[in-house]
Structures are given as C-alpha cells and as structure tokens.
Amino acid sequence: MPQCMEKYKNDFAIRFAQLMQKNLSRWKKFQNTYRRNLYTRYVKYYFIAFCVGFVPGKHERNYVENLEIHFWFGVFLFISAIILAIVFTNKEYQDRIKGSLFPSLLEIFSEKIRYPGLRISKADYDLSELFTKPVTRSEVDDTFSGIYNNVPFKINETTLINITYSKNKKEKPKTTELFDGIAMQFTMQKEINARVLIYSKSIFNRIPEGYEKVVLEYEKFNKKYDLYVQKNEICEGQIEARYLFNTVFLDRFMQLQTSFRVSKMECSIYKNNILVLLETQKDLFELNHLLGKLEDISQHNRLFDEFASVLSFIDVLNLSSRTGL
C-alpha cells in the first residue's frame, strides 16, 4: 500500500467497525431473507429447469431409450439454475449492503466522494483512442466519483463492448468485448497538446496511425511499456512527452500496476484528461459472499486496500500539482 494512504487506515477500520455494530442486526435480516429466497422463491425455477431436460429434440427418435440422457441433462440444468440463482441473489444482496456501507466509508478519504458515482461516457472512451472499435455498450458494476486532493475523478468497474450490425438484417450482430476491468478518469491541473498513449509491452502492439513511438532514456520503463505520441503540427509531441515523463513519474506509474497486480494496463493522456484502464481478473469492492460471514470484521482490510489503491493514483501520479509530474 502506498505510504500516502497509511494516514487513513486506522480511521477506516474504526468507521467500518462502528457501521457494523450499528447495522449488523438489520443487515443480517437482509442476508437471511436473500438466503431463504434460494430455497423458497426460486424453487419453481429449479424444477422448471429440470423438466426442460426432458423436452424431446426436434428430430429425436427413440425417446424412451434416451430417457437416461434426458435425466442427466435435466440434472445439469437443475444445478445450473441453482448456481445462477446464487450468483444473481448474491449480487442483489451485495448491492443493497454496499449502498448503505460504502458512502460512509468513502467519507474517510474525502467528503466529496460519492457511491454510486458518475459513469465515464462512451464518448470519453472513444476519444481516448485506446480502442480500434467504438464502444457501443458499457456494462457497469461498481462506480464512485468525486473530488480527492482537488482532483475530479470517476472510477468505474466496467465491461466495454462493441456491437457491429451487418447490412444483412438476418445475420446476428457481432459482439466484441473491448475491455473488462477498472476504468479511471482523472482531470489534471495541467495540459498537454499532443495525445500520449501507453500500452503494456506486447508483441501485438503496433504504432497507431498518426502516432510515433517514443523510446525514453529509462530502460526499466521501456521493457514494460510502449509509449506513443500523436504527431502534432502545433507542438512537438516528443518534447512534451519527455517533459511529462520524467524519472519520478515513470517510477510512480510502474508502481501503480504493481499495486493492482494486473498484467495489462493502458493509458491515454490528452489536454488535462487522463484515462487509465486496468484489466483485472477479479471483482473488486466486494463484501463477503451471501453464504459467508457478514460480521467478519477483517473484511475492512481488503476493502481499504482496494479503495486506497484506486485513490492513490492521484497521490502517486501527483495530479494535483500544477508544476509538473
């Protein structure tokens, strides 16, 4: 955890314990209601799923001889229905608890942070030029936004999708997942005139059209990332990039990827806007599962690490500084 976040840790733990003490009995009732739904409200759907397994195929022959296959298919559908019910019920339960818990916890960092927060627009994703296809749909989970250290920001746990429709209306539209993870948008108090793109190093990276590759005099960074600067007649993009990416900035930027333990990270910087995309392999900002222990106080450690890791982008990148990164 970055040193800049340690000052919040004790207050966060105390606030979490206070909220648990105050709301535990009410939240336990929520939990018991949602658990009870799994074997009352949804039982009929389990039964329907099992019965679907016995529906004969359109061109099926010898149905009686295939009854055993239908039985096991019904069992498969029955178990799948239970799993789906648990997944969706847990999501509903988590959202209800988080709606009461998170706003108060986030006040520890700043009273100007809101949960749920604002969404990053599809237009902002497209303007970042990080994607070869436009974002046509954004499936958002957790969001929070506000102002921290005088820096406006939006954090979205999101999946970005492109849907391409064929001219032939009979053909199904093609769906492509562009991104799945944490998207972060920050407003700097400084501006650059040539767009800068940063990608985690990959053999698939190609120089985007209208850009040129910049190799910095910092081999540690060059081994992990590819950096491209937009060709700009108004300003010298290479000079801006080299001014922006001094050694301190590069070290801090690499630390961010380590904090989140992600293998892929992308960034777009233009004018006073920074968009960072972190491809995570797990859901963040989650409480214990519906079937787990709600009263587990140790949950605050994981939540603090996740919130603090996100907000430390502002401190680590020193975005509130007007004089340079």
Side-chain angles (χ1 to χ4, degrees):
M1 178 56 54
Q3 192 69 29
C4 58
M5 290 289 119
E6 288 295 329
K7 59 187 176 183
Y8 300 111
K9 193 167 187 177
N10 188 55
D11 289 342
F12 189 91
I14 293 172
R15 178 69 62 86
F16 186 90
Q18 290 173 338
L19 291 169
M20 274 294 175
Q21 183 178 21
K22 179 181 178 181
N23 297 287
L24 185 59
S25 60
R26 180 168 61 93
W27 290 346
K28 285 287 286 184
K29 290 180 181 179
F30 293 161
Q31 186 181 44
N32 290 333
T33 298
Y34 285 110
R35 284 179 175 178
R36 190 162 52 248
N37 285 342
L38 293 174
Y39 54 84
T40 57
R41 179 180 176 183
Y42 300 118
V43 167
K44 61 181 179 181
Y45 298 109
Y46 308 153
F47 178 73
I48 291 172
F50 178 72
C51 292
V52 169
F54 288 89
V55 175
K58 187 174 181 179
H59 302 290
E60 183 177 6
R61 299 178 180 178
N62 302 318
Y63 178 79
V64 175
E65 295 179 9
N66 293 330
L67 274 177
E68 184 176 355
I69 296 175
H70 282 286
F71 172 80
W72 288 113
F73 183 51
V75 170
F76 169 77
L77 293 177
F78 179 82
I79 295 173
S80 298
I82 292 176
I83 294 173
L84 286 174
I86 292 174
V87 169
F88 287 110
T89 303
N90 178 63
K91 173 62 179 170
E92 188 177 343
Y93 156 77
Q94 292 250 356
D95 286 346
R96 187 165 186 178
I97 301 298
K98 288 190 290 187
S100 300
L101 178 64
F102 283 6
S104 185
L105 288 178
L106 287 166
E107 287 180 356
I108 296 295
F109 301 100
S110 171
E111 293 182 354
K112 296 180 180 180
I113 300 178
R114 297 290 177 264
Y115 176 94
L118 300 174
R119 294 189 177 194
I120 301 171
S121 71
K122 289 183 287 186
D124 284 335
Y125 289 121
D126 292 335
L127 287 172
S128 73
E129 299 191 8
L130 289 172
F131 305 104
T132 57
K133 298 180 179 180
V135 175
T136 54
R137 191 170 78 202
S138 175
E139 297 178 353
V140 177
D141 189 2
D142 290 303
T143 64
F144 56 102
S145 63
I147 300 175
Y148 175 71
N149 279 4
N150 298 318
V151 175
F153 71 91
K154 299 176 186 175
I155 309 296
N156 290 185
E157 189 175 17
T158 185
T159 301
L160 305 178
I161 296 170
N162 169 264
I163 302 176
T164 303
Y165 294 91
S166 172
K167 292 182 180 179
N168 185 350
K169 295 183 179 180
K170 293 182 178 180
E171 293 183 10
K172 292 183 178 180
K174 182 180 180 181
T175 301
T176 305
E177 183 178 288
L178 302 175
F179 171 77
D180 184 24
I182 303 295
M184 308 178 182
Q185 186 180 53
F186 304 97
T187 302
M188 297 188 295
Q189 297 187 32
K190 58 180 70 65
E191 291 189 4
I192 62 171
N193 295 308
R195 186 186 303 278
V196 176
L197 302 179
I198 307 173
Y199 297 91
S200 294
K201 183 74 72 174
S202 170
I203 60 173
F204 300 106
N205 287 348
R206 297 290 183 270
I207 299 177
E209 185 177 351
Y211 286 78
E212 55 187 345
K213 187 169 183 178
V214 177
V215 178
L216 301 174
E217 296 178 0
Y218 193 24
E219 194 59 28
K220 186 179 178 181
F221 181 86
N222 293 333
K223 288 180 178 179
K224 293 185 176 182
Y225 303 96
D226 287 322
L227 188 152
Y228 307 102
V229 177
Q230 191 176 37
K231 296 176 183 178
N232 194 322
E233 296 179 357
I234 300 176
C235 67
E236 179 55 60
Q238 291 248 4
I239 293 177
E240 278 204 330
R242 293 179 190 279
Y243 168 76
L244 184 68
F245 296 114
N246 56 50
T247 304
V248 176
F249 173 87
L250 299 177
D251 282 332
R252 290 170 176 174
F253 186 86
M254 289 186 286
Q255 180 187 345
L256 299 176
Q257 186 167 1
T258 302
S259 297
F260 279 94
R261 299 187 182 94
V262 296
S263 58
K264 187 176 180 181
M265 179 166 152
E266 298 177 347
C267 178
S268 173
I269 307 174
Y270 182 60
K271 295 296 184 181
N272 65 343
N273 181 71
I274 289 186
L275 179 67
V276 180
L277 303 179
L278 296 168
E279 289 205 3
T280 58
Q281 301 300 316
K282 61 179 181 179
D283 287 336
L284 299 179
F285 319 118
E286 297 299 303
L287 298 168
N288 282 355
H289 195 275
L290 168 66
L291 303 179
K293 292 179 64 177
L294 172 62
E295 62 270 27
D296 179 11
I297 300 297
S298 65
Q299 293 177 86
H300 84 270
N301 288 321
R302 184 181 70 254
L303 285 173
F304 177 79
D305 286 344
E306 291 172 352
F307 283 132
S309 292
V310 170
L311 294 175
S312 68
F313 265 83
I314 295 172
D315 281 324
V316 173
L317 292 177
N318 198 20
L319 297 181
S320 59
S321 169
R322 293 180 180 274
T323 58
L325 292 164

